[in-house]
Amino acid sequence: MKNDAQENLSVHLGRLSGVHIENIDLDIDFIELAARFSHIPGTVVLLSGGDLDCARYHIMGALPWLTLSADTQQANVIIDQETFTLDSNPFELLRWLITQLTLPTGDWPPPLAAGFLGYLSYDLKNCLEQLPNTGVDDLKLPEMLLYAHSLLVVHDKETNTTQLLIPHRDGVSPAACRDVDFLKAQFYAMSAKSSAKSLSTADGFNELTSNFSQTGYEEAIQQILEYISAGDVYQVNLSQRFQVPFSGDTFALFSHLYQKNPAPFFAYVQAGDHQIVSTSPERFLLRSGSRIEARPIKGTMPRGKTASEDQDMRQALISSTKDDAELSMIVDLLRNDIGKVCAPFSVHVAEHKRMEAYQNVFHQVSIVEGKLDSDKDTVDLITATFPGGSITGCPKIRAMEIIDELESHRRHVYCGSIGYLSFHDTMDLSIAIRTATVVNNTLSFSVGGGIVFDSIPKSEYEETLHKGKTLIEACLRGA
């Protein structure tokens, strides 16, 4: 892509020549630090809850110097409060921006020293495939929202160390580029402030609505089963969306959910006119240099109320032929998707059917790994695999067509991805499940499940309620 708007944008971008990195001592919990920045538009918080091997780092980005807000064919790039509008495929624009901002080769600290933090909505699928796209877009939010921050804070849970990172921008006017001392002063001033938050509440069970009735959801499942019987598709992920009036502080809700049921991919995005609260357990894609990893989740069982019942539920999931088939199918789909951009013979299943226990449910997880081909980049990897097969179905394109047919509203960030894309060849994105959007005093969240040949409509409906239990209870009973 190359046009006058891009030429003008390039002048204002400058280049990243390095990153100021210093160790800092935190005398408060990381989530308390994040709370003190949570009201500032552009703040993104990524928390790694629990002790799984994918839950090592807490990350916060604050005070963005660049914002990328894009729809399918048009994007706004805001640099130092100046807006540039471009007619562009958002993925191609993202590739160009990452290329322009790539850090010099160096020994940058993991997981990232500078990069984009934010979300990719599920509806970006329409940039990649010709799909019906018939769902109502009632939220009217960006399909891609990413920030490059002036301040990054990274806490390593394994070593109990914390770093403050501030990128150096060259080639721009001094007035447009705040220096390190100024930014450090802002950070320490903000981190010293108290962060008392009002309770986050929703307005009661009676006002909770869904875009499906139970009957309607089960009828949609029956339609999918007919498509499966006809040979159209092997699996489809069907979701329903709940909405409830909302008042209070969204970060207080986020913090409450984290304390109640920590998971590896908690995320909070303060977008100003809307907020994203995500409690996902599922990694979509990890990139570390050339190493690629995906961790699809398929198979969910509620936790038991006693130790004996808990063990029975665990064993029921292990023994489930339906869940085994579902996970194996998605693993094959991911192997194929990742294989499009990985070196020949490098894609393999490192673990299959690993059992992971969470507060309310058990999950089955597999780990798929590969080596990124030398002529491919982060955006190639995303476009080859997006959206994740675990939340579409198989074959992916036909499954997405059926989702468009049966779900009345666009998913937006639900089943998209949240995380970071660095400027030095690292990336970690979640699958945005168990994720709520707060906009116009309304909280929206969706829950779904994979439908296969032997799915039972009533059981599938009940599984969506189990998956949404933590979020439903927190939102309806107050944080």
Side-chain angles (χ1 to χ4, degrees):
M1 52 171 284
K2 202 74 174 176
N3 53 44
D4 292 342
Q6 182 185 338
E7 292 283 4
N8 193 23
L9 176 59
S10 182
V11 171
H12 286 76
L13 272 177
R15 65 183 182 276
L16 297 186
S17 58
V19 180
H20 170 81
I21 304 171
E22 67 175 75
N23 292 324
I24 59 175
D25 293 323
L26 282 185
D27 57 2
I28 55 176
D29 289 340
F30 191 91
I31 196 167
E32 174 63 21
L33 172 71
R36 298 175 184 187
F37 292 82
S38 64
H39 65 286
I40 303 173
T43 296
V44 179
V45 182
L46 307 174
L47 295 184
S48 295
D51 56 2
L52 293 171
D53 55 359
C54 58
R56 178 171 177 176
Y57 297 101
H58 296 322
I59 302 170
M60 181 186 73
L63 305 180
W65 66 269
L66 184 154
T67 301
L68 169 58
S69 176
D71 295 322
T72 305
Q73 293 297 333
Q74 189 174 77
N76 287 325
V77 180
I78 304 172
I79 301 178
D80 303 317
Q81 301 182 338
E82 185 168 354
T83 301
F84 303 84
T85 300
L86 300 92
D87 294 324
S88 173
N89 178 294
F91 287 111
E92 290 307 314
L93 177 58
L94 176 61
R95 187 199 311 275
W96 181 80
L97 287 169
I98 291 175
T99 300
Q100 295 296 303
L101 297 171
T102 296
L103 285 166
T105 301
D107 188 19
W108 301 112
L112 83 161
F116 284 122
L117 278 68
Y119 68 73
L120 310 174
S121 86
Y122 172 84
D123 302 306
L124 287 169
K125 65 184 175 58
N126 299 309
C127 299
L128 304 173
E129 304 292 345
Q130 293 294 319
L131 297 165
N133 192 29
T134 53
V136 175
D137 181 19
D138 58 336
L139 300 182
K140 301 188 183 303
L141 299 174
E143 294 176 0
M144 178 184 290
L145 184 61
L146 297 170
Y147 300 98
H149 294 95
S150 299
L151 294 173
L152 280 174
V153 184
V154 177
H155 177 73
D156 185 337
K157 294 165 57 180
E158 186 174 296
T159 62
N160 195 31
T161 56
T162 308
Q163 290 185 320
L164 175 65
L165 305 105
I166 302 173
H168 298 296
R169 290 177 60 207
D170 295 340
V172 295
S173 68
C177 186
R178 295 169 285 190
D179 64 23
V180 169
D181 289 339
F182 174 78
L183 288 165
K184 284 173 60 177
Q186 281 197 298
F187 170 76
Y188 285 113
M190 287 298 302
S191 60
K193 291 184 176 180
S194 63
S195 56
K197 298 293 181 179
S198 61
L199 292 181
S200 298
T201 61
D203 291 342
F205 284 98
N206 291 336
E207 296 193 58
L208 180 70
T209 61
S210 171
N211 60 352
F212 275 105
S213 65
Q214 178 172 352
T215 298
Y217 192 78
E218 293 178 8
E219 288 175 349
I221 292 174
Q222 191 59 50
Q223 178 63 63
I224 293 171
L225 294 177
E226 291 176 12
Y227 281 129
I228 293 172
S229 296
D232 277 28
V233 70
Y234 299 107
Q235 181 197 66
V236 175
N237 182 284
L238 182 71
S239 68
Q240 61 173 318
R241 189 184 73 177
F242 293 101
Q243 290 188 311
V244 66
F246 181 87
S247 62
D249 183 87
T250 51
F251 195 83
L253 171 63
F254 175 74
S255 178
H256 172 73
L257 290 169
Y258 184 77
Q259 299 298 329
K260 184 175 182 179
N261 185 23
F265 296 97
F266 263 65
Y268 178 80
V269 181
Q270 171 56 271
D273 62 351
H274 68 284
Q275 296 81 42
I276 306 296
V277 174
S278 182
T279 69
S280 176
E282 182 170 358
R283 170 174 281 158
F284 174 37
L285 291 171
L286 171 76
R287 179 185 179 191
S288 180
S290 63
R291 179 179 175 270
I292 306 303
E293 177 187 284
R295 296 196 178 198
I297 291 176
K298 277 296 172 187
T300 301
M301 190 68 68
R303 300 293 303 270
K305 296 179 180 179
T306 65
S308 175
E309 186 178 314
D310 203 43
Q311 180 59 33
D312 289 343
M313 300 300 271
R314 178 189 178 97
Q315 188 58 47
L317 181 55
I318 292 172
S319 303
S320 170
T321 56
K322 181 258 189 188
D323 290 308
D324 178 72
E326 194 175 347
L327 181 59
S328 297
M329 194 180 305
I330 297 306
V331 166
D332 284 344
L333 187 156
L334 269 170
R335 290 172 63 192
N336 180 68
D337 281 353
I338 292 173
K340 297 172 187 175
V341 293
C342 280
F345 310 111
S346 69
V347 178
H348 64 281
V349 181
E351 287 191 59
H352 189 49
K353 291 184 64 177
R354 183 167 86 171
M355 190 67 59
E356 294 182 351
Y358 295 84
Q359 186 72 25
N360 293 320
V361 295
F362 289 111
H363 284 312
Q364 280 190 147
V365 183
S366 290
I367 302 177
V368 183
E369 297 179 341
K371 181 179 180 181
L372 191 66
D373 217 329
S374 59
D375 64 346
K376 302 299 182 182
D377 60 22
T378 289
V379 175
D380 289 322
L381 176 60
I382 294 172
T383 56
T385 54
F386 191 87
S390 66
I391 43 72
T392 56
C394 184
K396 184 189 286 188
I397 294 175
R398 182 62 182 125
M400 291 191 292
E401 290 174 344
I402 294 171
I403 290 168
D404 278 355
E405 173 191 338
L406 297 177
E407 294 186 12
S408 58
H409 294 79
R410 292 192 189 183
R411 290 180 168 186
H412 188 245
V413 73
Y414 172 67
C415 292
S417 295
I418 306 174
Y420 68 81
L421 302 83
S422 83
F423 299 145
H424 52 91
D425 296 338
T426 65
M427 174 179 71
D428 202 358
L429 297 175
S430 69
I431 295 282
I433 53 176
R434 299 183 195 165
T435 297
T437 300
V438 178
V439 61
N440 298 326
N441 299 313
T442 300
L443 184 144
S444 304
F445 67 96
S446 298
V447 285
I451 311 306
V452 293
F453 178 78
D454 55 355
S455 291
I456 300 170
K458 185 175 185 295
S459 297
E460 293 293 342
Y461 177 81
E462 290 173 349
E463 183 177 317
T464 66
L465 302 185
H466 289 308
K467 289 178 177 177
K469 179 181 178 182
T470 302
L471 200 53
I472 289 171
E473 289 181 348
C475 293
L476 295 181
R477 297 177 185 175

